[in-house]
Amino acid sequence: MQGRFAVTVVGGTLLALALAGCNRKGVEAPRSTADAVLVTTQVVQPSPWNDTLQAIGTAKARESIVVTAKVSEIIDKVHFESGQRVSAGTPLVTLRGEAQQAALAQAQATFDEADRLYLRQRELAAQQLVAHSTLDTQKSIRDGAEARVRQMRADIVDRQVRAPFAGVLGIRQVSPGSLVTPTTAIATLDDISRVYVDFQVPEAQLATLKPGDEVTGTSIAYPGRNFEGEVSTVDARVDPGSRAVTVRADFANADLALRPGMLLDVRVFRPERQALVIPEIAVVQVGRDSFVYRVKDDASVERVDVKTGTRRAGVVEILDGLQAGERIVIDGTGKLRPGVRIEDARPAKAPAAAPAAAEATAG
């Protein structure tokens, strides 16, 4: 028995020495759970914030028509090209009008003769050589002839189609020699020096909208470009079917980049206010729950459920759950659990040349 006990003691001692030797050869012992996790933190502070309303709208020209003729006639001359910019009153199309010119000459001759007779009879009436009733009859004949002259001149004017306002013409749809009627489209004419964008917002947001609110719009035709505008009109009626109100925004369009019919992603900015805004990566989303990790006085973290608001450009507004002055983890949340101790990793200062390089990249 004593021999057996001695062997057991010796064996245990040798095993302990072997394990100690293994540790000295580089086999690490298990890491202590008290080691701090390296993360990046930030103190929550109020900052300026704008609420936004987002909607989809369609661009419309400030003025837009389909150019047509008032009468049915053969086109004599076309004075424009497709896509041409014209000013108000510019002749676009001249229709044939030889018959109207001849009728005008005849009407003018008739008027001249009636006017001479009227003047002669007026002199005679002054000398009481003709009755005043005869003078009145001649005056009526003279006035009728004058009205006929004005009618023929208006008929001739109708045979020259002019631009009613300044704008850009669309594709030409007619040629000299073709017959046009009042239903024939000659071309489109759009004033797009400014454009309107109509969009709908929910009825619940009606009280927050007013003319003059700042608006931005983006289009897939111009990636990365923001078009600046403002709310010009809020419709007087709410659609009873959709419970939405139509809002019209006015956009300057000096370079004519926006065209009627374009689809724009519109954002309406409300007045600036103070809000708690944190980086979006700090918010952990699990199902319908949103939470952040708040740093406690002992450098451990705890989970705090938050209610989020508007998200924009990588940041999110916190409506409930945090207070100003509290420190939260913004990077490294995937390694955390409630109660874990953390260490704040402060980023190293960038070299002197870094700001200039960053500015060049942004430009």
Side-chain angles (χ1 to χ4, degrees):
M1 289 294 291
Q2 291 180 354
R4 234 179 246 181
F5 177 73
V7 171
T8 302
V9 172
V10 171
T13 303
L14 291 175
L15 179 60
L17 291 174
L19 290 175
C22 289
N23 283 337
R24 283 193 300 270
K25 290 179 181 179
V27 178
E28 294 184 0
R31 183 176 177 176
S32 171
T33 58
D35 290 346
V37 177
L38 199 63
V39 297
T40 303
T41 67
Q42 175 181 305
V43 176
V44 180
Q45 295 292 350
S47 60
W49 184 253
N50 293 91
D51 291 323
T52 60
L53 290 175
Q54 185 174 2
I56 299 296
T58 302
K60 297 180 179 180
R62 184 172 66 172
E63 303 288 352
S64 179
I65 64 166
V66 176
V67 180
T68 60
K70 290 184 178 180
V71 297
S72 298
E73 189 56 86
I74 302 296
I75 293 179
D76 185 28
K77 295 179 181 179
V78 177
H79 306 285
F80 71 95
E81 295 297 334
S82 299
Q84 181 179 338
R85 297 186 68 174
V86 296
S87 57
T90 301
L92 303 179
V93 169
T94 299
L95 306 178
R96 291 180 183 174
E98 291 84 355
Q100 285 70 33
Q101 291 289 349
L104 174 60
Q106 181 181 3
Q108 186 67 50
T110 301
F111 168 74
D112 292 342
E113 178 64 22
D115 190 50
R116 283 194 298 269
L117 289 175
Y118 170 71
L119 293 175
R120 187 179 301 117
Q121 290 188 10
R122 188 173 65 176
E123 293 176 356
L124 294 174
Q127 300 173 11
Q128 297 183 352
L129 297 177
V130 297
H132 284 284
S133 60
T134 303
L135 179 63
D136 291 341
T137 301
Q138 186 57 41
K139 184 177 183 299
S140 298
I141 294 173
R142 195 277 308 263
D143 292 345
E146 184 180 17
R148 178 63 177 168
V149 170
R150 290 198 299 266
Q151 179 183 356
M152 295 311 302
R153 286 176 177 170
D155 197 12
I156 292 173
V157 170
D158 288 343
R159 278 161 171 74
Q160 189 167 65
V161 181
R162 297 176 179 270
F165 53 83
V168 180
L169 292 164
I171 297 176
R172 192 177 77 177
Q173 304 292 337
V174 296
S175 299
S178 58
L179 174 66
V180 295
T181 68
T183 61
T184 303
I186 296 174
T188 58
L189 177 62
D190 297 300
D191 178 5
I192 55 175
S193 58
R194 302 189 71 87
V195 298
Y196 297 132
V197 177
D198 292 346
F199 57 94
Q200 291 192 323
V201 298
E203 176 186 0
Q205 306 296 335
L206 179 60
T208 66
L209 293 169
K210 66 181 184 303
D213 285 349
E214 180 186 354
V215 179
T216 64
T218 57
S219 170
I220 59 174
Y222 304 98
R225 179 174 177 180
N226 287 329
F227 297 92
E228 304 294 334
E230 64 178 24
V231 174
S232 60
T233 307
V234 179
D235 199 356
R237 296 184 178 183
V238 175
D239 187 343
S242 62
R243 297 301 176 189
V245 62
T246 300
V247 179
R248 170 166 290 183
D250 186 8
F251 287 82
N253 193 34
D255 61 350
L256 309 184
L258 296 177
R259 305 294 179 88
M262 289 180 65
L263 195 68
L264 271 74
D265 182 3
V266 179
R267 296 175 185 267
V268 181
F269 291 87
R270 298 177 183 175
E272 187 176 86
R273 60 183 176 83
Q274 294 293 312
L276 294 181
V277 181
I278 65 174
E280 199 170 7
I281 60 172
V283 180
V284 182
Q285 191 77 35
V286 178
R288 297 184 177 180
D289 296 331
S290 299
F291 62 89
V292 299
Y293 285 107
R294 181 169 56 195
V295 182
K296 299 167 64 176
D297 294 338
D298 61 355
S300 64
V301 295
E302 60 180 346
R303 168 176 166 168
V304 178
D305 292 331
V306 295
K307 181 180 179 182
T308 60
T310 308
R311 299 172 183 258
R312 184 171 73 243
V315 295
V316 57
E317 178 189 9
I318 300 299
L319 302 177
D320 189 27
L322 289 177
Q323 299 293 329
E326 295 180 331
R327 183 176 294 275
I328 63 170
V329 176
I330 62 172
D331 192 15
T333 57
K335 302 176 289 184
L336 298 181
R337 296 292 183 273
V340 171
R341 297 179 63 84
I342 58 100
E343 179 182 350
D344 193 3
R346 300 297 180 182
K349 291 185 178 180
E359 185 175 352
T361 303

